Structures are given as structure tokens and as C-alpha cells.
Amino acid sequence: MTDLSTRYLGLSLPNPLVVSASPLSQDVEHIREMAGVGAAAVVLPSLFEEQLTAKHEGSTPGSSPEMEGAPVTATPLPNLPSYNLGPEGYLEHIRKAKAAVAIPIIASLNATSPGSWVRYAREIEAAGADALELNIYNVPTSPEVTGSTLEQMYCDLVSLIKANVHIPVAVKLSPYFTSLPNLAWRLDQAGANGLVLFNRFYQPDINIYERAITPTLELSTSQELRLRLHWLATLFGHLRADLAATGGVHDVYDVVKALLAGARVVMMTSALMQHGIAYLDSVRHDLGRWLQSNGWKSVREIQGQLSRRAVADPAVFERVNYMQVVTSYKPDSHGTRGSR
Ligand SMILES: Cc1cc2nc3c(=O)[nH]c(=O)nc-3n(C[C@H](O)[C@H](O)[C@H](O)COP(=O)(O)O)c2cc1C
């Protein structure tokens, strides 16, 4: 019998398939269904820092100094309580989810900076959440804010949250840092128990006729996993924090790739939105079958097998890999199509 179990954030999980934060887990019935089809844990949709502070009152999120003078329509905050039930409703949702299922429930806070609002994390803990995922979404717009200032804010935020709760804390990051290994290491030092790679950076589109910015959300494809694989493989073995993959996990092959690169767990949202929650069950069975037919006895055996830990000089490896890739593309005689 193949052993699918893994550990994540100090939690013993029967398999590595976790449902990531989305409106799917806003409904307790859905969470029950997720547990029923074998989800190892569920992350709830994020509660936003702005819901715990009054700091956005009177401001116009969506406008920025770069756009000043342009006819940008002020963007009011969306109806957040209908998304995540609001601060009180969120705590009640945690309590109901915990009463409904035995699998770990991971709460999620979407934040940009440290503040007194982090005390709410204690209430999340008191409501029974097994862990907290801190979804730091801070897209810089001011030319005066340096990368190191921003990164320090991330680390301070993690230290502050850790000082407020005893439950494990994971940090969901974007990939856009000058030196992700350094930031990952500093977050690790600040006490992060897990890093979730990566937050998707939702780029809005522009409606050229209405001269308006239109928010767009497209579900992912497996293509997005590549970036995650790169960084999982780079970070694996260098941190105490567990690594989770989110973004582009659609089938068993994606799951296996992420595990080989170094993920302790893989998270899914788009695939479940496309195929339904029960799809997770088929991926779980496929994982057992794949491991067995390839001669592996457990998930743990393959975790990090293809990470860079085994590479003597990862920086040289990166350079050589780049040279190999760019020289492998052979244009045809017209210079149009390539073959390998
Ligand atoms: C409709 C929708 C809502 C989402 N809401 C959240 C959220 O509240 N908090 C969060 O951290 N991620 C949120 N995500 C991101 C997902 O958790 C996940 O990281 C992302 O979709 C990439 O994974 P996937 O390729 O499996 O979809 C949302 C994604 C979708 C599609």
C-alpha cells in the first residue's frame, strides 16, 4: 500500500492535496465535500486587512500616483463580507468548519503591513483554526519605497503575527523579489512555519473604449507551475519552513513534479473550479497509482528528489541551464519555426 502521508506546518496529513484559499471554501457544505473526497486540509478565503482597520475610509484604492491626472474612476472596495463573511462571520465560519470536519482548517489573512489589526489573528486561533496563512499582497507603487524596506515590512509582519499566536503560520508570497532565497531565509528566521509559492499577481486589463481598468481573473493552467517548480527546487533543503506549491496544479503529473521539486503539499483551486470538488479524489487515486507503478513506496521518498540541494553550485547550474535552453531552439531556414 503506497503511503501518501506528509507533514506540513507541523500537521500530519494523510496526503499532500490541500484546497487553497478561494470562495469554494466559503461554504461549510463545500468543506464537508472536500473532506469527503480526501482533501488533506482546507484554506479558507482571505479576510482582508482593510476589513480590520478603517484606514481606507475616504481613500480610493485602485488609483495611484502614476495615474494622477488620468481619468481613472475611483475604485471603491468591493463587497468583501459577501466574499469572506466579514470579521465576525469569518470567526463563526472557522468554528462551523471545525465542527463539520476533522481535517485541518487553515485561516487566511490578506495583508500589506504590520498594524494593530494583527491582534485579530488571536481570535482566529481562539476560533479553532489549525494554522494561519498570511497572504501578503503588497504591490509597491511609490518610487521612494525600496525593496529592502518592503522586505523588512514582510519580516516584521511575520514576527508580529508569530508573537500573537501559537498556531503555525505560513506565508503566501509573490515571486517578484530580487533575491527570493534571501527573503525566504529571513522569513524563516522570523518564524514562518511554511512558505506558499506563489500568490498569483492579478494584472488588470484596460478597456480602451471606456478608459477604465477592468479586473480580470483567469483560472490557471499547468503552465504556471514551472515558476513554482524553479523556486521550490531552489529553496528546498535550505529552510526549516515547509514549502507548499500553489498555482498550476491541475493533475497528477503536476502534483508529482511539485513533490519532486520539494513541495510538502500542493494546493488546488482552478482545477476544482473547472472539474468540481470531487476531482480531487481522482487526483489522489492517480497519485497512489503513479507512485506504485513507478516503484515508489511513499510521497516522502520523492519529496525534493529533483531539488537543487544535490547541485554543487546552483548559480553555475542556472547559467548553464540558461545557455542550454537558448541554444536548443533551432529556427528553420526561414528563421520562423524552431525545432529541437
Ligand atoms: C476566485 C478565486 C479567489 C481566490 N481567493 C483567494 C483568497 O482569498 N486568498 C488567497 O490567498 N488566494 C486566493 N486565490 C488564489 C488561490 O488560492 C490560488 O493560490 C491560485 O488560484 C493559484 O492556484 P490554482 O492554479 O490551483 O488556481 C483565489 C483564486 C481564485 C480563482
Side-chain angles (χ1 to χ4, degrees):
M1 177 87 176
T2 317
D3 177 9
L4 300 187
S5 69
T6 185
R7 275 184 81 75
Y8 177 59
L9 308 179
L11 305 164
S12 295
L13 304 180
N15 70 71
L17 305 182
V18 171
V19 181
S20 51
S22 89
L24 280 180
S25 45
Q26 198 228 46
D27 182 332
V28 174
E29 280 316 306
H30 283 159
I31 294 177
R32 226 190 281 274
E33 191 183 347
M34 290 163 190
V37 298
V42 170
V43 187
L44 301 184
S46 301
L47 194 79
F48 294 85
E49 176 189 329
E50 289 79 353
Q51 292 177 276
L52 303 169
T53 62
K55 76 176 185 185
H56 272 287
E57 277 173 21
S59 75
T60 55
S63 62
S64 65
E66 295 89 325
M67 306 295 266
E68 266 167 30
V72 176
T73 317
T75 324
L77 289 177
N79 181 358
L80 295 172
S82 75
Y83 177 70
N84 55 29
L85 307 166
E88 274 312 309
Y90 198 79
L91 299 176
E92 188 53 27
H93 185 49
I94 295 172
R95 286 189 277 267
K96 283 187 183 153
K98 284 299 296 173
V101 296
I103 59 172
I105 296 295
I106 303 175
S108 167
L109 278 174
N110 180 306
T112 59
S113 55
S116 56
W117 63 269
V118 299
R119 285 192 215 108
Y120 182 83
R122 272 190 228 153
E123 296 183 48
I124 283 180
E125 178 172 43
D130 296 278
L132 177 63
E133 189 173 283
L134 193 54
N135 172 11
I136 310 183
Y137 196 90
N138 190 339
V139 181
T141 52
S142 164
E144 283 155 27
V145 177
T146 65
S148 57
T149 305
L150 203 70
E151 291 178 9
Q152 189 57 48
M153 214 152 63
Y154 275 53
C155 296
D156 291 347
L157 181 51
V158 171
S159 303
L160 195 58
I161 295 268
K162 285 291 292 183
N164 274 273
V165 295
H166 301 290
I167 50 175
V169 175
V171 183
K172 191 171 183 178
L173 283 173
S174 101
Y176 303 114
F177 292 96
T178 305
S179 174
L180 191 68
N182 178 260
L183 177 66
W185 176 76
R186 289 173 60 203
L187 291 170
D188 194 42
Q189 297 291 308
N193 305 95
L195 297 182
V196 184
L197 312 181
F198 288 114
N199 212 333
R200 289 174 87 207
F201 176 42
Y202 296 113
Q203 293 119 331
D205 206 350
I206 287 180
N207 181 323
I208 56 175
Y209 300 105
E210 293 179 11
R211 298 179 73 204
I213 293 172
T214 47
T216 48
L217 195 160
E218 279 139 25
L219 296 180
S220 71
T221 66
S222 294
Q223 188 67 24
E224 284 190 30
L225 187 64
R226 301 270 191 94
L227 183 70
R228 280 77 184 164
L229 296 178
H230 172 94
W231 287 113
L232 286 166
T234 303
L235 297 178
F236 181 83
H238 295 289
L239 306 169
R240 288 170 304 184
D242 296 326
L243 300 173
T246 175
V249 177
H250 282 255
D251 57 28
V252 65
Y253 304 110
D254 298 331
V255 174
V256 171
K257 287 176 193 178
L259 295 173
L260 285 168
R264 293 276 170 230
V265 294
V266 297
M267 298 188 172
M268 299 173 82
T269 284
S270 292
L272 304 185
M273 286 187 161
Q274 279 163 342
H275 307 294
I277 292 168
Y279 177 69
L280 189 140
D281 198 27
S282 65
V283 176
R284 187 169 57 105
H285 281 106
D286 287 348
L287 178 60
R289 276 193 289 269
W290 189 92
L291 289 169
Q292 196 173 23
S293 60
N294 286 277
W296 300 103
K297 289 191 176 53
S298 70
V299 154
R300 286 171 208 236
E301 274 181 304
I302 68 166
Q303 280 169 331
Q305 282 260 342
L306 290 186
S307 71
R308 298 226 169 80
R309 200 167 50 160
V311 177
D313 191 336
V316 172
F317 176 84
E318 281 300 325
R319 294 279 309 155
V320 173
N321 187 39
Y322 176 73
M323 289 182 251
Q324 268 171 356
V325 170
V326 292
T327 56
S328 69
Y329 192 87
K330 308 279 182 235
D332 66 11
S333 55
H334 307 293
T336 49
R337 274 200 333 265
S339 62
R340 299 188 68 162

